[in-house]
Amino acid sequence: MSTLVTELVEAGVHYGHRASRWNPKMRPYIYARKNLIHIIDVRETIRGLLRAKKYLQQVSSRNGLILFVGTKRQAAEAIEREASRCGMPYVNDRWLGGTLTNFRTIRNRMTRLEELEGLKNSDEFNAYSKKMQSSLNREYRKMYRNLNGMRSMSRLPECLVVVDPKKEKNAVREAGALGIATVSLIDTDCDPDKVDLPIPGNDDSMRSIELITKLLADAVAAGKAQAAIDSQQQREGSDAPASPSAEEEAAEKAAADA
């Protein structure tokens, strides 16, 4: 635990926003004010982090989908890297309106992305005019940027991991409308009531975001590993011959004595 505290402090997770920009609902998570900047209580960060890790591990152990969302410049790279590492979908460029509430349309756009990809890699692409090729390339780049991270998302996710719910308010709103749980790194200017599992911490520092997303991705990976172990044990159990019950053993013993 002391190692975790050291890592959080070194990453600057405890630094909040200027005191003038705070949300009063964040008062329980604030330790002090120093040089007009709020200092977040690291104990509250650890509590939120442990709750979030436990929940994410449970979801992934049930083979649930977890969507990582972070479109701000500081978060984009970490979100892509950690979500890819634990095999989960992500959004790190722009949240398209209706990504969750109009998921069928988003799936159709993903199909279109795959069509464009196949076209670009075929000889047929060279048969188009230069103008048409340019238009198709432009469409492909835009769709790839927005949808590439969600290709593996064949259904709605069970949970969202969000960096800065104030910035990602549309994603949080859609998740709330569909009853999808949200785990979020929240700074002192955010409203903790809008997310289900808040992790109070600095959501502007790259080091802070990288550390928190890494720890959450570790929990997801651990849950997936547990799911694989459980699945293997179930297969082995079904293949093994059934062991006799206590009643059967007693009956066999009585028959032998007779």
Side-chain angles (χ1 to χ4, degrees), residues 16 43 54-55 59 97 103 106 116 129 139 176 219 225 257:
R43 291 171 300 183
K54 183 179 179 182
Y55 175 70
V59 172
F103 184 63
I106 296 297
L116 288 172
S129 66
E139 182 186 0
D257 292 343

Side-chain angles (χ1 to χ4, degrees), residues 7 15 45-46 75 94-95 108 176 208 211-212 221:
E7 287 180 349
Y15 290 119
T45 304
I46 292 172
R94 187 166 75 90
W95 181 267
N108 290 338
S208 171
L211 177 60
I212 297 297

